[in-house]
Structures are given as structure tokens and as C-alpha cells.
Amino acid sequence: MAMTGSGDVVVAAGQCSVDEPDVTMRVAHQLLAGGATMLRGGAYKPRTKPTSFQGRGKEALATLARAKEETGLPIVTELLDVRDLADVLEVADMIQVGARNMQNTGMLKTLGQVDCPVLLKRAFSATIDETVAAAEYIWRGGNERVILCERGIRTFEPAYRFTLDLAAVPILQKRSGLPVWVDPSHAPGRRDLVLRLSLAAIAVGADGLIVEVDEDPPTARSDPDQQLYSADFAIYLGKVRGLVEAMGRRIA
Amino acid sequence: MAMTGSGDVVVAAGQCSVDEPDVTMRVAHQLLAGGATMLRGGAYKPRTKPTSFQGRGKEALATLARAKEETGLPIVTELLDVRDLADVLEVADMIQVGARNMQNTGMLKTLGQVDCPVLLKRAFSATIDETVAAAEYIWRGGNERVILCERGIRTFEPAYRFTLDLAAVPILQKRSGLPVWVDPSHAPGRRDLVLRLSLAAIAVGADGLIVEVDEDPPTARSDPDQQLYSADFAIYLGKVRGLVEAMGRRIA
Amino acid sequence: MAMTGSGDVVVAAGQCSVDEPDVTMRVAHQLLAGGATMLRGGAYKPRTKPTSFQGRGKEALATLARAKEETGLPIVTELLDVRDLADVLEVADMIQVGARNMQNTGMLKTLGQVDCPVLLKRAFSATIDETVAAAEYIWRGGNERVILCERGIRTFEPAYRFTLDLAAVPILQKRSGLPVWVDPSHAPGRRDLVLRLSLAAIAVGADGLIVEVDEDPPTARSDPDQQLYSADFAIYLGKVRGLVEAMGRRIA
Amino acid sequence: MAMTGSGDVVVAAGQCSVDEPDVTMRVAHQLLAGGATMLRGGAYKPRTKPTSFQGRGKEALATLARAKEETGLPIVTELLDVRDLADVLEVADMIQVGARNMQNTGMLKTLGQVDCPVLLKRAFSATIDETVAAAEYIWRGGNERVILCERGIRTFEPAYRFTLDLAAVPILQKRSGLPVWVDPSHAPGRRDLVLRLSLAAIAVGADGLIVEVDEDPPTARSDPDQQLYSADFAIYLGKVRGLVEAMGRRIA
């Protein structure tokens, strides 16, 4: 897995929420066949409302472990509560800190002491400097393997959930010296923009993409409107790869 | 302490960070004399940068306990990491959840099971509905004593740190049925606006104020520009009380 | 009419759009009886969509002239296109520049040369310094009678149309030396918040209010949801006056 | 000049402000040699402060006319005050409406009656629907040749002047049926981001770019930090062309 500065582009793909194990296995195999380089999947879900699906927790971690064993794809999954860290570390090759926890300084300090890369998502109204400062909480603890992720900021525009701030990518790279990924799924919250925003992210110089894909998004228990269909993933990634290669880089 | 719907206005005042015990004692006595109804004080500080002062932690909790014993003022203090909950509960009469943790759902669920009121600050780019949903995480756990707090939202304006959204006060009250306080200190980040914004908060119908006061703000280890001087507190609160009483309410 | 620094509070009230003359006359008399100190009324309307009602133009100006003659109330009305200036000047005692024209520098320069006060509304995403700079376009032309008006800024919050930025009032006053009014109607776009926001505006130190009132708001051709009923105006203004007087000021 | 839906990408380039005629001629020739397809140049400048350079007006229009004669490049220039329309129409092949005038409905209606394409820039806090509605003011007047332009929205981020909202490009295209250009210069206000944002704009599907270029930007009377050096333009456009062609389109 290429992480920093090599020019290779990481593509982490997978379900918003890991639910039925068989579905996850089928999706994982499609992603592998399509060329994804990591498998993402949510076990613990940060939901606005307490009545929304909160994720399958440890069951989902077990499902991800099985998917990793079957496909060989490394796993990125979110840590939502620091008390779940040991469980998450058993499976994760990269721990995701979600936007809502970007300034959870207790969690950041704890992650500074683990031996696992951290994908730190920019909070949806954090400035660039605040995002870099959050990363600093981790690396000062001794864990220097931090990847930043732009996932959209909150603005006045109702046409999409968040406004993807692509100018942040080169500035975050310059100010932090860290690789910067882009999440083209959560920002718009609409499937029809995912490809175009993925291409724009590559063009602006992102080091990776983390994209949501599920077998049958309309029936998914979270983010039904924005996930790509796993059956379409290879076509999607083919287009992204075309641009990546035209820019002299490769997906790896 | 009046909390919900009685019409009385709570005024919680105190230091951003609790540091030297003697200073905290002097400040607490001045606040008591000036008419404050609760003592606020930060033991664990949520700071943007890891190199900023992170608070005195358990030492500060001990200082707050002493101030409470000497003055009789109930204590409100922030819980920054859920692993510190037992320590905080020994001292706090009200637990503050800061803006950065408003969507820390693990913490919210845990606080749903404690027997202590929670002051939940609106995240600085949370919508009103998201704020109410965060409160719902607590009350669904069984703890119905939640107070919301408007403390400013992030906008494009550089003249102050945050834009105090006073229209949110009546809407939050209506949608949640909970008391809503206002923090006139953090929003502007400027001492010269604290009184005016306190008056506006009372006029718009806030149920309480939580205001930062220190003995010598310019030497404080956090928020030097926005804290009131404790020597001026009685004058400040006198003006606030004038308006509170003109509106047929009282501070209690 | 009190304009600058005297401590008196101006209350300009009236219809969003001037439509049927008889309605305008009845509203104007109710406002006079209720204690308004100026009459506002829209002749030229800045509408987002070209298919929305654009105002009655010169007919409405004639209606305003008649209302002024009958009631003695001075008139404030919006100039939307600089080519209508001569017509507007025949009636207006104060020319309003709407938020969308705050940076229409051609219009501002032209208004610098007329002998009529200008009510300059802050654009809904203008910074404080940009607002003061817009006023400077007028006063550098020789017309120093400029009043600024805070009418809400655009944020991410869907519960109201705009977020009223009351902290801007004292800062605008300090940086410009000009009186600052508040529009409690357009910001929320909801009738139920107008009184509370008017009180907050007075508490924060506004020099005036400009509030929308119509006979039967639900049938009005613009802003049906936010205008007060003219039959309720005296009660509304009585409550505002109570606060104004409690703060040692008066409406005049 | 390709305008709508042909797949060709228009590149309009030139000075923020047209000042010394000889400089403009040299710049225009470099742009022609570098492959620009239109020449942009500001004659009337919308400036925040009245004391800033306001543009050379009619002199600058004459300079642009000469540049057009010498190079054959069609001209796009901003109309700032509707009273200057006749002068601007003598030179312009496309009239630019700046962000501050996007909702100047008098100007929009007037432009609905001219026989000249209009480049309508999105106001920096206009929603997508408001932008489309502004275009509708023009096309309802009979002028259907409207091009929209995304030039950055105002957010809380201080690292750049505006946040370029690239997701707006496909949505604006879909909702309006109009071509959508991107301004990669004004949004960031920094030269070092212009190329990367230009590439991202192409990748997301923009129909054109309008980019600021001057001979010696640090000495320019406006926007010194964001303009490209005209000597570097051919290299810049070569990189943009590489991506345009990799995506199966061409600059024309």
C-alpha cells in the first residue's frame, strides 16, 4: 500500500455500513476485481440521530476480518469510541477518525501511541490549520503515519450535503507534509457526482480516494443515495485510472 | 439552582482554565459576592493545538471542589474524555459537553446514564436539528436533565471568532423543550462585546448565561482576550440583572 | 427623525411591497397610531426569480407619497435601479440600498451626490469591513447621512432564511461611526421570531428597527411568512418600547 | 469560439485591470501564442474600497479594441454600471457580469435585450438555484447566450479568498442547460493554486476557464497575488491542454 509521496494513488472502497456478511464478501470480491487497493467498511457508525442504525460493531469487525482474509485487501474502518480501540486494532490496517471526532483530543492522543496508520478526516467546518493541528496531536504521540482526508465542508448550498473543498488538498499537503485523500461520496451525498468529483480530486493532486460502494445502495442502512453500485465499480475505477495514468501516476 | 422553564436566569461564571488554587478561590468569592449562581471552571481543556495548555486535570477538579465548599456555588465543568467521567462526577453539579464533542456519540450515550445535569454546547457548525438530536442521545439513555447552549457558529466574518446565533435560542427551546443558555464569551472572543451580547441573550429569552471571568485575564493560560475581570463582575452582573428584572424575571 | 448618536430609536415599519393604495393607507394609519416613526414600503422589489412580483414601481411611489401626506410619516423606500433615482427622490426621505446592491459601486457613487439619507443594508455575506467600505463610497461623494443595517447573513442553518448577526451592530457602530439599524423581519423570515429579535436588537444597542408589517400578510405578494399583522403592531411596539425605555432610551 | 455543449473548452485569459496599452499588447500576443481563445481585461473594476484603483474605463476599452484588432482574439470584459453599456458593447464579444452584480436585476433585464453573449458570475454566496434564476432574468428578455461561471464561494477558511465549489459545475450545467466556466484565479487569490484548480475544473467537466494573466503581476494595480506571469502562460496552457486532450476534448 502506497501511502506517502510516492505518487501512487490509493483507492479505498467499500460499504458505508457493514451489515450482512455475505453481501460484504460479494462486494469485497467485486472491488478486488475492479482494482480497489483497500477495503473500507463501517462497523461503528456516527449517526446524527440516536434512532438511526448505529452499526453492527464487533460483528461487523469480524465480517471485515473475513473479507480481508478472502481478498487480501487491507482494511480501513472507523474508530468511533476510544473504548473500542482494542477491537478495532485487531482488524484494521488503517484506523479512520471521522469528521465529528477530528477534535476529540483524547482519541487523537491515544492514536498517537498505536502502531497503525490513521486516516484523519477534516471536520466539516475545520479550517486547514485546525486540521493540521489535529494531525499534530497524533504524530506528537509518536505515530507519524497520518493521512488527511478532505470530505466536504458545510456551506449554505442545499444542492449537496457538503461542499467539497478541493483547493484544500494542495494546501493541506504543503502545510502538513502528509498525504491527503478525498472522499467524493460523503461530500455531495449524491451518486451522480461521485465520478466527476473523483476525477477532480485526482486532477488537483489527491493521494487517495475513499469511496462508498455497496451491492444495492437503495437498501443500505446508511447513505443509500450516495453509494456506487458494486456492479459498476470496475467501470468507475477504469475512468479514474484513465485520468490517473494520463497524469503519469498509477493506482496501487 | 433553577434549570428549566421557571423563568429564572442562571448565571454560571468563572475561569476558562482553573490554574492556581488561590486565584480560583479569590475569583469564586468575587463571583459569589457579585451574584453568580454557579461556578464554571475548566479542568480539561479542548485545545486546537497539542502544544497549548491542556488544563490541570485532576488538580483543577480538586481546586473546584474546594471553591464549592468555600462558596457554596454549584460547579459546572467540562468532560473532555469519557475516561475521566468518574473524576468529574465527584465534583460537578453539571457536566459540560463542549462544542467539539457535541457529536461524540459514545460520550453522549454514557452521559445518558449518569445522574447529573448536562450542559450540551452546540457545535460551531451544527444545525439546530443536529443539536436537538445530540441532546436526544442523552435523554434516551434516561438522563432528562439536559441544557443546551448556543456559543456561536462559524461564519466568514473575521471581526469575531464565532457569530452568536441568537435566533437559535427560541427555536432550540421550542424544538427541544429544553432550557437554552448562551455563552457570550467564546462567541465573540472579545471582552468588549460580552456585556452587550449578554443583554441581547436575555432579551431574546435565554434561560442562562455562562460567562468567563478571571482575576487577570491577560495572564490567563487560555482565552486571555475574552474573559471579564473578576473585579468588574458585580458591575457587569448588575447591568444584566437590570434587564432581567425589567423583563419580569430574576437571576437565581 | 433621530438618526445619529442621540440615543433615540427609530422604528420604520410598513409593507414589504406596496400594492393596493387603500390597504397601504389603512396600514399607514395603524402604524402611526401604534407609534412608528417612519413608513417603509417597497415600490421596486429585488426578487430572486424574474417571474416573481417585481413591485408596482411608480404607482407605488405615488401611493407612498399619499400615505406620507395623510400621516406625516417620513418614507424609506428602496432604490433598485439607479435609472429610477429621480422618481424615488421625489418621495423618499431616506433611500434604501438593498443587500443585493451593497456593492453596486455605480449606485453608491451616485448616492454620494444626492441630498437624502441612505439606509445601506449589509449584503448577506459581506464582512463588516466590506460594509463599512460600501458606506465609504457614499460619504466620499459628499453625502454623509448614511445609516447601516444588519439584516442577517447566510449560513448553513435551514431553520431561518438568514442568521441575524447582532454582534455586528456594536462593531459596525465603532468602525463606521454611523448609526446601525436592524431588520428583524428578513433575517428569520418567520413572524414568530420578529419580536424576540427586535428586543435583542435593542438590547445589543441598535439605533433603529426596520420591520415589515402588512394588513393581511398571507395574501401579500412578497414575504407572506414574516410580516407582522398591522392590527398587532401597537402591541408589538409596546413591548419594544418597554425595553427601549427600561434601557433609558426612547422611540422617536 | 465554442460556447455551448460542443465539448470544446474555451480559455479566456488576460489582465485583471487593463492599464498601460503597451503592456496589454504584449500580454495579448503572448496569450495568442500560448493558445488562449479569448482575451479578458478589466476596464471598469468592482473594488471593495472607493480608494482602490477603479479601472481606466473608456481608455481601457480602447486598448482592448486595439488588442483585438492586433491579435484577432475576441474580448470579454465586465460591465459594472448599466450606464456604460453602449461603450462596452462597442468592444465586447462577451459581456461579463461580476459576482457583485449577479442579482442586479435591472442590469440583467437590460442584458436580456442586447445581442451579445453574457458571462454571468455566480455571486460568492449565491446558491445554485439563485444563480440559475439570475440567468433566467437574461434569457427571458430574449438573450439566450448566457454562460455561467463558478468563481468561488465565501466560507470560513482563511487560507484562500474563496472556496472553489467545483461540484457546482455539473449541477449548474444540469439545472440551467447552459455552459459553465470556472475562474481558477479569483477563488484562491493565490498564483500557486491556479494550475491545480484549472486541472480540477477540466476534470469536473467545465466548459471554459477564465484566468488572470499579466506581464508583471506584482506591479499590477489589482490582484497582484493571483495573476499568472504572461511569460509562463504557454507552459500553463500546455499542461491544461494535456488534460483536456486526455479527456477527449480540445481547447478551441
Side-chain angles (χ1 to χ4, degrees), chain D residues 203-251:
Chain D
V204 94
D207 296 292
L209 297 172
I210 180 162
V211 57
E212 290 193 343
V213 184
D214 209 336
E215 189 173 62
D216 186 28
T219 64
R221 296 181 71 171
S222 55
D223 290 344
D225 298 330
Q226 78 200 32
Q227 299 192 76
L228 299 181
Y229 285 81
S230 53
D232 298 336
F233 181 73
I235 295 170
Y236 159 81
L237 198 57
K239 290 179 182 167
V240 173
R241 181 180 291 113
L243 181 64
V244 166
E245 294 180 352
M247 297 187 76
R249 304 171 72 193
R250 65 193 180 101
I251 292 172

Coordinates of all heavy atoms in Angstrom, one line a residue, chain D residues 203-251:
Chain D
A203 N -11.3 18.5 -15.2 CA -11.7 17.1 -14.8 C -13.2 17.0 -14.4 O -13.8 16.0 -14.7 CB -10.8 16.6 -13.7
V204 N -13.7 18.1 -13.8 CA -15.1 18.0 -13.3 C -16.0 18.3 -14.4 O -17.3 18.2 -14.3 CB -15.3 18.9 -12.1 CG1 -15.7 20.3 -12.5 CG2 -16.2 18.3 -11.1
G205 N -15.5 18.8 -15.6 CA -16.3 19.0 -16.7 C -16.7 20.4 -17.1 O -17.6 20.7 -17.9
A206 N -15.8 21.4 -16.7 CA -16.1 22.8 -17.0 C -16.0 23.0 -18.6 O -15.3 22.3 -19.3 CB -15.1 23.7 -16.3
D207 N -16.8 24.0 -19.0 CA -16.8 24.3 -20.5 C -15.8 25.4 -20.8 O -15.6 25.7 -22.0 CB -18.2 24.8 -20.9 CG -19.3 23.7 -20.7 OD1 -19.2 22.7 -21.5 OD2 -20.1 23.8 -19.8
G208 N -15.2 26.0 -19.8 CA -14.3 27.0 -20.1 C -13.6 27.5 -18.8 O -13.9 27.1 -17.7
L209 N -12.5 28.2 -19.1 CA -11.7 28.8 -17.9 C -11.5 30.2 -18.2 O -11.3 30.6 -19.4 CB -10.3 28.1 -17.9 CG -10.2 26.6 -17.6 CD1 -8.8 26.2 -17.7 CD2 -10.7 26.3 -16.2
I210 N -11.6 31.0 -17.2 CA -11.2 32.5 -17.3 C -10.2 32.8 -16.3 O -10.4 32.7 -15.1 CB -12.5 33.4 -17.3 CG1 -12.1 34.8 -17.4 CG2 -13.3 33.1 -16.0 CD1 -13.2 35.8 -17.8
V211 N -9.0 33.1 -16.8 CA -7.8 33.1 -16.0 C -7.1 34.4 -16.1 O -7.0 35.0 -17.2 CB -6.9 31.9 -16.3 CG1 -6.5 31.9 -17.7 CG2 -5.7 31.8 -15.4
E212 N -6.6 34.9 -15.0 CA -5.9 36.2 -15.0 C -4.4 36.0 -15.2 O -3.7 35.2 -14.5 CB -6.1 36.9 -13.6 CG -7.6 37.4 -13.5 CD -7.7 38.3 -12.4 OE1 -6.9 38.4 -11.5 OE2 -8.8 39.0 -12.3
V213 N -3.9 36.8 -16.1 CA -2.5 36.8 -16.5 C -2.0 38.2 -16.8 O -2.8 39.0 -17.4 CB -2.4 36.0 -17.9 CG1 -0.9 35.8 -18.3 CG2 -3.0 34.6 -17.8
D214 N -0.9 38.5 -16.3 CA -0.4 39.9 -16.5 C 1.2 39.7 -16.7 O 1.8 38.7 -16.5 CB -0.7 40.8 -15.4 CG -0.8 42.3 -15.9 OD1 -0.2 42.6 -16.9 OD2 -1.5 43.1 -15.2
E215 N 1.7 40.8 -17.2 CA 3.2 40.8 -17.6 C 4.0 40.7 -16.3 O 4.9 39.9 -16.2 CB 3.5 42.0 -18.4 CG 4.9 41.9 -18.9 CD 5.2 43.1 -19.9 OE1 5.2 44.2 -19.4 OE2 5.5 42.8 -21.1
D216 N 3.7 41.5 -15.3 CA 4.4 41.6 -14.1 C 3.4 41.7 -12.9 O 3.3 42.8 -12.4 CB 5.4 42.8 -14.1 CG 6.3 42.8 -12.9 OD1 6.6 41.7 -12.4 OD2 6.7 43.9 -12.5
P217 N 2.8 40.6 -12.6 CA 1.7 40.7 -11.6 C 2.0 41.5 -10.3 O 1.1 42.3 -9.9 CB 1.4 39.2 -11.3 CG 1.8 38.5 -12.5 CD 3.0 39.2 -13.1
P218 N 3.2 41.4 -9.8 CA 3.4 42.1 -8.5 C 3.2 43.7 -8.7 O 3.0 44.3 -7.7 CB 4.8 41.8 -8.1 CG 5.1 40.4 -8.7 CD 4.3 40.5 -10.0
T219 N 3.4 44.2 -9.9 CA 3.2 45.6 -10.0 C 1.8 45.9 -10.6 O 1.5 47.1 -10.8 CB 4.2 46.2 -11.1 OG1 3.9 45.6 -12.3 CG2 5.6 45.8 -10.6
A220 N 0.9 44.9 -10.7 CA -0.4 45.2 -11.3 C -1.2 46.0 -10.2 O -1.0 45.9 -9.0 CB -1.1 43.9 -11.6
R221 N -2.2 46.8 -10.7 CA -2.9 47.7 -9.8 C -4.1 46.9 -9.2 O -4.8 47.5 -8.4 CB -3.4 48.9 -10.6 CG -2.2 49.7 -11.0 CD -2.5 50.9 -11.8 NE -3.1 51.9 -10.9 CZ -3.3 53.2 -11.2 NH1 -3.0 53.6 -12.5 NH2 -3.9 54.0 -10.4
S222 N -4.3 45.7 -9.5 CA -5.3 44.9 -8.8 C -4.9 43.4 -8.9 O -4.2 43.0 -9.8 CB -6.7 45.1 -9.3 OG -6.7 44.8 -10.7
D223 N -5.2 42.6 -7.9 CA -4.9 41.2 -7.9 C -3.5 40.8 -8.1 O -3.2 39.9 -8.9 CB -5.9 40.5 -8.8 CG -7.3 40.5 -8.4 OD1 -7.5 40.8 -7.2 OD2 -8.2 40.2 -9.2
P224 N -2.5 41.5 -7.5 CA -1.1 41.1 -7.8 C -0.8 39.7 -7.4 O 0.1 39.1 -8.0 CB -0.4 42.1 -6.9 CG -1.3 42.5 -5.8 CD -2.7 42.5 -6.5
D225 N -1.5 39.1 -6.4 CA -1.0 37.8 -5.9 C -1.5 36.6 -6.7 O -1.1 35.5 -6.4 CB -1.5 37.6 -4.4 CG -0.9 38.7 -3.5 OD1 0.2 39.2 -3.8 OD2 -1.6 39.1 -2.5
Q226 N -2.5 36.8 -7.5 CA -3.1 35.7 -8.1 C -2.9 35.5 -9.6 O -3.1 34.5 -10.2 CB -4.6 35.7 -7.9 CG -5.4 36.7 -8.7 CD -6.7 37.0 -8.1 OE1 -6.9 37.1 -6.9 NE2 -7.7 37.3 -9.0
Q227 N -2.4 36.6 -10.3 CA -2.3 36.5 -11.7 C -1.1 35.7 -12.1 O 0.0 35.8 -11.5 CB -2.2 38.0 -12.3 CG -3.4 38.8 -12.0 CD -3.5 40.1 -12.8 OE1 -3.8 40.1 -14.0 NE2 -3.1 41.2 -12.1
L228 N -1.2 35.0 -13.2 CA -0.1 34.3 -13.7 C 0.8 35.3 -14.5 O 0.3 36.3 -15.0 CB -0.5 33.2 -14.7 CG -1.4 32.1 -14.2 CD1 -1.7 31.1 -15.3 CD2 -0.7 31.3 -13.0
Y229 N 2.1 34.9 -14.6 CA 3.0 35.7 -15.5 C 2.7 35.3 -16.9 O 2.7 34.2 -17.2 CB 4.5 35.4 -15.1 CG 4.9 36.0 -13.8 CD1 4.6 35.4 -12.6 CD2 5.7 37.2 -13.8 CE1 5.1 36.0 -11.4 CE2 6.1 37.8 -12.6 CZ 5.8 37.2 -11.4 OH 6.2 37.8 -10.3
S230 N 2.6 36.3 -17.7 CA 2.3 36.0 -19.2 C 3.4 35.2 -19.8 O 3.2 34.4 -20.7 CB 2.0 37.3 -19.9 OG 3.1 38.2 -19.8
A231 N 4.6 35.4 -19.3 CA 5.7 34.6 -19.9 C 5.6 33.1 -19.6 O 6.1 32.3 -20.3 CB 7.1 35.1 -19.3
D232 N 4.8 32.8 -18.5 CA 4.6 31.4 -18.2 C 3.3 30.8 -18.8 O 3.0 29.6 -18.5 CB 4.5 31.2 -16.6 CG 5.8 31.7 -15.9 OD1 6.8 31.6 -16.6 OD2 5.7 32.0 -14.7
F233 N 2.6 31.6 -19.5 CA 1.2 31.2 -19.9 C 1.3 30.0 -20.8 O 0.4 29.0 -20.6 CB 0.5 32.3 -20.6 CG -0.9 31.9 -21.0 CD1 -1.9 31.8 -20.1 CD2 -1.2 31.7 -22.3 CE1 -3.2 31.4 -20.4 CE2 -2.5 31.3 -22.7 CZ -3.5 31.2 -21.8
A234 N 2.2 29.9 -21.7 CA 2.2 28.8 -22.7 C 2.5 27.5 -21.9 O 1.9 26.4 -22.2 CB 3.3 29.0 -23.7
I235 N 3.3 27.5 -20.9 CA 3.6 26.3 -20.1 C 2.3 25.9 -19.4 O 1.9 24.7 -19.4 CB 4.7 26.6 -19.1 CG1 6.0 26.8 -19.9 CG2 4.9 25.4 -18.2 CD1 7.1 27.3 -19.0
Y236 N 1.7 26.9 -18.7 CA 0.4 26.6 -18.0 C -0.6 26.0 -19.0 O -1.2 24.9 -18.7 CB -0.1 27.9 -17.4 CG -1.6 27.9 -17.2 CD1 -2.1 27.4 -16.0 CD2 -2.5 28.5 -18.1 CE1 -3.5 27.4 -15.7 CE2 -3.9 28.5 -17.8 CZ -4.3 28.0 -16.6 OH -5.7 27.9 -16.4
L237 N -0.8 26.6 -20.1 CA -1.8 26.1 -21.0 C -1.5 24.8 -21.6 O -2.4 24.0 -21.9 CB -2.2 27.2 -22.1 CG -3.5 26.9 -22.8 CD1 -4.7 26.9 -21.7 CD2 -3.8 27.9 -23.8
G238 N -0.2 24.5 -21.8 CA 0.2 23.2 -22.3 C -0.2 22.1 -21.3 O -0.7 21.1 -21.7
K239 N -0.1 22.4 -20.0 CA -0.5 21.4 -19.0 C -2.0 21.2 -19.0 O -2.5 20.1 -18.9 CB 0.0 21.8 -17.7 CG 1.5 21.6 -17.6 CD 2.1 22.0 -16.2 CE 3.6 21.9 -16.2 NZ 4.2 22.5 -15.0
V240 N -2.7 22.3 -19.1 CA -4.2 22.2 -19.2 C -4.6 21.5 -20.4 O -5.4 20.6 -20.4 CB -4.8 23.6 -19.1 CG1 -6.3 23.5 -19.4 CG2 -4.5 24.3 -17.8
R241 N -3.9 21.8 -21.5 CA -4.3 21.1 -22.8 C -4.1 19.6 -22.7 O -4.8 18.8 -23.2 CB -3.5 21.7 -24.0 CG -3.9 21.1 -25.3 CD -3.1 21.6 -26.5 NE -3.5 23.0 -26.8 CZ -2.8 24.1 -26.6 NH1 -1.5 24.0 -26.2 NH2 -3.2 25.3 -26.9
G242 N -3.0 19.2 -22.1 CA -2.7 17.8 -21.9 C -3.9 17.1 -21.3 O -4.3 16.0 -21.7
L243 N -4.4 17.7 -20.2 CA -5.5 17.0 -19.6 C -6.8 17.1 -20.4 O -7.6 16.1 -20.5 CB -5.8 17.7 -18.2 CG -7.0 17.1 -17.4 CD1 -6.6 15.7 -17.0 CD2 -7.2 17.9 -16.2
V244 N -7.0 18.3 -21.0 CA -8.2 18.4 -21.9 C -8.2 17.3 -23.0 O -9.2 16.7 -23.2 CB -8.2 19.8 -22.6 CG1 -9.2 19.9 -23.7 CG2 -8.5 20.9 -21.5
E245 N -7.0 17.1 -23.6 CA -7.0 16.1 -24.7 C -7.0 14.7 -24.1 O -7.6 13.8 -24.8 CB -5.7 16.4 -25.5 CG -5.9 17.8 -26.2 CD -4.7 18.1 -27.1 OE1 -3.7 17.4 -27.1 OE2 -4.8 19.2 -27.8
A246 N -6.5 14.5 -23.0 CA -6.6 13.1 -22.4 C -8.0 12.8 -22.1 O -8.4 11.6 -22.1 CB -5.8 13.1 -21.1
M247 N -8.8 13.8 -21.9 CA -10.3 13.6 -21.7 C -11.1 13.6 -23.0 O -12.3 13.6 -22.9 CB -10.8 14.6 -20.6 CG -10.1 14.4 -19.3 SD -10.8 15.4 -18.0 CE -12.3 14.4 -17.6
G248 N -10.4 13.6 -24.1 CA -11.1 13.5 -25.4 C -11.7 14.8 -25.8 O -12.6 14.8 -26.7
R249 N -11.2 15.9 -25.3 CA -11.8 17.2 -25.7 C -10.7 18.1 -26.3 O -9.5 17.6 -26.4 CB -12.4 17.9 -24.5 CG -13.4 17.1 -23.8 CD -13.9 17.6 -22.4 NE -14.7 18.8 -22.6 CZ -15.0 19.7 -21.6 NH1 -14.6 19.5 -20.4 NH2 -15.8 20.7 -21.9
R250 N -11.0 19.3 -26.7 CA -9.9 20.2 -27.1 C -10.2 21.6 -26.7 O -11.3 22.0 -26.5 CB -9.7 20.0 -28.6 CG -10.8 20.5 -29.5 CD -10.7 20.1 -30.9 NE -11.9 20.6 -31.6 CZ -11.9 21.7 -32.4 NH1 -10.8 22.4 -32.6 NH2 -13.0 22.1 -32.9
I251 N -9.1 22.4 -26.7 CA -9.3 23.8 -26.4 C -9.5 24.5 -27.8 O -8.8 24.3 -28.7 CB -8.0 24.4 -25.8 CG1 -7.8 23.8 -24.4 CG2 -8.0 25.9 -25.7 CD1 -6.5 24.1 -23.7

